[in-house]
Amino acid sequence: MLPVPGPTSRTTSVGRNAACKDTFVLNQHTDYVVLIQCGDTDTYRKLCVMCLCSATPSQKYGTRGGRGEVVSSFGAVQGPRWTGKGQSAVRVEMLEGGENSLISSYKYMFQRLRDVRDVLTEKIEELGEELRSHFNIEEFSPVSLPVQDSITVLGQVCCDSNGKLNTQSVLLEAGQEQGGRQVPVDLSELKEFSLFPGQVVVMEGMNPSGERFVATKLYEGIPLPFYCPSEGKQEMDEVSEPVMVMMACGPYTPSESLTYDPLIDLITIINKDRPDMCILFGPFVDSKHEQIEKNQVTETFENIFKRCVDSIVEGTKGSGCRLVFVPSQRDVHHHYIYPQPPFNLSNLSKDDSARVTLAPDPCTLLIGNVTFGLTSTDILFHMGAEEISSGTGTERFSRIMKHMLTQRSYYPLYPPAEEVNMDYDKFQQFGQMNLTPDILIVPSELRYFIKDVIGCVCVNPGRLTKGQVGGTYGRLLIQPNPVLVEGKRVSPCIAGQVVKI
């Protein structure tokens, strides 16, 4: 714990939580210390929120406009009250696990090209079998077979060079059962298409010469079913009222300063609105921050992260809010690998551990009986740079979200972006979707949104800071026990908003 700065410090009032009579006082000097006075017990807790290299707060962040402005909304616009109850009784559990989970010790990136090929081949065969069964296709023909009649082929989309995919560079690579050959694809006969490298597709068309496949029909992928809880689990769930879920994604500092002002503002909002659940995505210590890149910090990255997390856990204790921490590959102190193991916070007390969930990236989380798909990797940005489309009539974000759901993967792009270190052995186990999540959260550098895509509510809450200015965070009201109306599933998401910090 750092000492409280002396009398030369500048003191600023941050806010008051009327519900629990908490007072926040921020001292700015070489460190930040938040003093929380609990009116009921008249006790004090000291909370460090570090200011590392520079004590000068970001002027642009401090003078930002539009604080609290709702910039995107979904569902019930009128009526919902954006306050929770801080219900620690909300049940949270991971839908992945087992002996080979990412929590256990393992060596990563020890993979051979043959292993990568086997993973990709298995993916082609699994999705191909689902498509064959759904569309009643008799069999798949070899993609390079010279034939004058129309045939149906299965394969993975790839590019004929190291450049970006375009309509003239599309190849279809068949699985091992169909010969494993690559053949150029002519898309001119397709009225509409949306393709990206790594996409498993079924196409109908002709290949008279065996050298070029002329596609005339493209079959849509099929999403997995939604989660269906057992009767016993529904009875176990104690929470029946709507649950408020807040989400935010780092960085939690402005780009020109390592002052955690945005994080302090977020903690203030959490204590004021008392969400039942808060999902926090990394980076918490951003490897792309200028002062970290230039090695201008005066302590270890691990220590910075520890104090950052301590700040969040201690600062939200009075709200009773459940916390979920999801790492990012931009977290400079953590493993740069995908899938990414969860943080290790061995210093948490027993009480704090009970309300903190440490999740890997990606993961599927069960909150009540509602499934949340979470990933901090910017798949929107990566796929948006590679996807090509024509005549679809839908906007890009919806297409990318639909691809994730129908390809049943949190990262369906292959080859991955250069910054993503993919471990395909673990990716096969932990990077695939075992069901269609009710809510899919995909923070990105691209513009925030919240929308329904084939029954799944997809949210990009944006980042808490955008350069030197404030960014956005998201909040949802969900019904923890989804209901059926006339035998049809009703989305558990009552309302959602993206809000400026």
Side-chain angles (χ1 to χ4, degrees):
M1 185 66 68
L2 294 175
V4 177
T8 57
S9 304
R10 182 161 57 87
T11 302
T12 308
S13 174
V14 176
R16 172 180 290 273
N17 184 341
C20 61
K21 301 179 181 178
D22 286 355
T23 302
F24 302 79
V25 180
L26 170 65
N27 295 277
Q28 291 177 333
H29 190 55
T30 56
D31 312 295
Y32 283 137
V33 176
V34 178
L35 300 178
I36 304 177
Q37 179 180 1
C38 300
D40 294 336
T41 60
D42 200 29
T43 59
Y44 292 85
R45 292 196 305 273
K46 293 182 180 179
L47 170 61
C48 294
V49 185
M50 67 296 279
C51 167
L52 296 171
C53 308
S54 167
T56 306
S58 169
Q59 291 186 354
K60 283 194 174 182
Y61 178 80
T63 57
R64 71 194 184 283
R67 305 183 189 199
E69 177 187 348
V70 177
V71 292
S72 183
S73 59
F74 171 85
V77 179
Q78 303 291 334
R81 296 184 59 215
W82 291 103
T83 55
K85 296 181 174 59
Q87 300 182 77
S88 57
V90 175
R91 179 169 52 85
V92 182
E93 61 182 273
M94 304 289 302
L95 286 185
E96 297 95 354
E99 294 181 2
N100 296 320
S101 73
L102 294 171
I103 300 174
S104 59
S105 178
Y106 69 95
K107 292 182 179 180
Y108 49 76
M109 300 305 287
F110 284 84
Q111 57 188 3
R112 299 169 297 178
L113 289 176
R114 183 185 304 169
D115 299 330
V116 176
R117 184 201 66 188
D118 290 344
V119 170
L120 297 175
T121 298
E122 187 172 329
K123 172 188 167 188
I124 293 172
E125 291 173 355
E126 284 183 1
L127 289 178
E129 181 57 31
E130 291 285 341
L131 289 166
R132 190 194 64 78
S133 175
H134 182 82
F135 291 107
N136 297 317
I137 299 170
E138 288 188 12
E139 63 177 354
F140 297 119
S141 302
V143 69
S144 58
L145 178 69
V147 63
Q148 304 300 317
D149 298 327
S150 179
I151 57 173
T152 304
V153 298
L154 165 70
Q156 177 176 269
V157 174
C158 51
C159 185
D160 66 2
S161 66
N162 290 328
K164 300 286 186 182
L165 189 70
N166 59 62
T167 55
Q168 304 303 314
S169 65
V170 176
L171 299 178
L172 189 65
E173 181 177 5
Q176 296 301 307
E177 289 188 2
Q178 286 79 40
R181 290 278 305 276
Q182 288 184 344
V183 173
V185 179
D186 183 346
L187 304 174
S188 60
E189 297 296 318
L190 289 176
K191 294 181 180 179
E192 62 178 71
F193 60 84
S194 172
L195 301 172
F196 66 90
Q199 180 181 3
V200 177
V201 295
V202 171
M203 290 182 175
E204 200 173 283
M206 293 187 295
N207 191 357
S209 65
E211 299 297 326
R212 190 172 190 83
F213 185 82
V214 181
T216 56
K217 183 176 181 180
L218 179 66
Y219 288 87
E220 289 278 338
I222 308 300
L224 287 160
F226 291 95
Y227 175 73
C228 184
S230 63
E231 292 183 7
K233 272 201 170 183
Q234 282 190 316
E235 292 173 1
M236 282 170 53
D237 206 325
E238 301 174 9
V239 180
S240 57
E241 297 180 358
V243 169
M244 179 180 173
V245 179
M246 187 180 289
M247 65 217 67
C249 179
Y252 296 92
T253 65
S255 61
E256 86 280 25
S257 169
L258 271 174
T259 55
Y260 278 70
D261 289 350
L263 178 61
I264 294 172
D265 290 340
L266 183 67
I267 292 173
T268 304
I269 293 169
I270 292 172
N271 281 287
K272 178 173 68 72
D273 293 346
R274 299 174 67 83
D276 305 292
M277 176 74 57
C278 188
I279 303 172
L280 300 174
F281 297 86
F284 295 90
V285 188
D286 189 7
S287 62
K288 293 186 177 182
H289 194 285
E290 181 181 350
Q291 293 181 7
I292 288 179
E293 285 182 330
K294 293 181 178 179
N295 198 26
Q296 294 176 344
V297 294
T298 57
E299 58 183 308
T300 65
F301 301 136
E302 289 80 3
N303 200 35
I304 297 171
F305 170 72
K306 177 181 177 298
R307 293 199 287 135
C308 179
V309 171
D310 287 347
S311 304
I312 298 167
V313 174
E314 288 294 319
T316 59
K317 187 173 288 186
S319 71
C321 171
R322 295 289 300 262
L323 298 171
V324 178
F325 290 99
V326 183
S328 164
Q329 292 191 57
R330 284 170 55 177
D331 274 306
V332 69
H333 68 289
H334 202 46
H335 303 281
Y336 307 138
I337 188 68
Y338 188 90
Q340 192 174 25
F343 292 128
N344 180 16
L345 301 178
S346 56
N347 60 311
L348 288 179
S349 67
K350 186 176 180 180
D351 289 342
D352 289 337
S353 297
R355 69 182 188 95
V356 172
T357 299
L358 303 176
D361 172 33
C363 68
T364 306
L365 207 63
L366 191 62
I367 301 177
N369 285 312
V370 178
T371 52
F372 280 68
L374 311 177
T375 179
S376 61
T377 301
D378 199 343
I379 182 63
L380 275 173
F381 189 84
H382 298 166
M383 283 185 64
E386 299 290 345
E387 184 240 12
I388 60 171
S389 67
S390 175
T392 61
T394 56
E395 51 86 28
R396 180 173 55 155
F397 294 150
S398 293
R399 292 197 305 270
I400 294 173
M401 292 292 94
K402 187 176 180 181
H403 283 314
M404 288 181 68
L405 297 171
T406 55
Q407 294 289 300
R408 307 175 178 188
S409 173
Y410 285 106
Y411 200 95
L413 187 66
Y414 178 82
E418 287 186 5
E419 63 195 67
V420 177
N421 300 311
M422 184 74 75
D423 186 310
Y424 278 93
D425 179 41
K426 294 296 181 183
F427 175 70
Q428 188 177 30
Q429 300 176 62
F430 303 104
Q432 310 300 321
M433 295 180 184
N434 297 319
L435 46 76
T436 296
D438 296 304
I439 295 162
L440 180 57
I441 305 177
V442 283
S444 173
E445 296 283 355
L446 301 179
R447 185 176 176 83
Y448 47 76
F449 63 80
I450 175 168
K451 59 183 63 186
D452 186 299
V453 179
I454 56 175
C456 172
V457 176
C458 301
V459 186
N460 170 17
R463 298 192 182 274
L464 200 64
T465 59
K466 298 283 284 186
Q468 299 180 20
V469 297
T472 52
Y473 66 93
R475 57 191 185 188
L476 300 171
L477 279 180
I478 62 168
Q479 179 56 251
N481 291 306
V483 296
L484 297 177
V485 176
E486 296 179 355
K488 293 184 178 180
R489 172 188 170 276
V490 177
S491 172
C493 186
I494 301 168
Q497 291 182 341
V498 178
V499 187
K500 284 187 177 181
I501 186 68

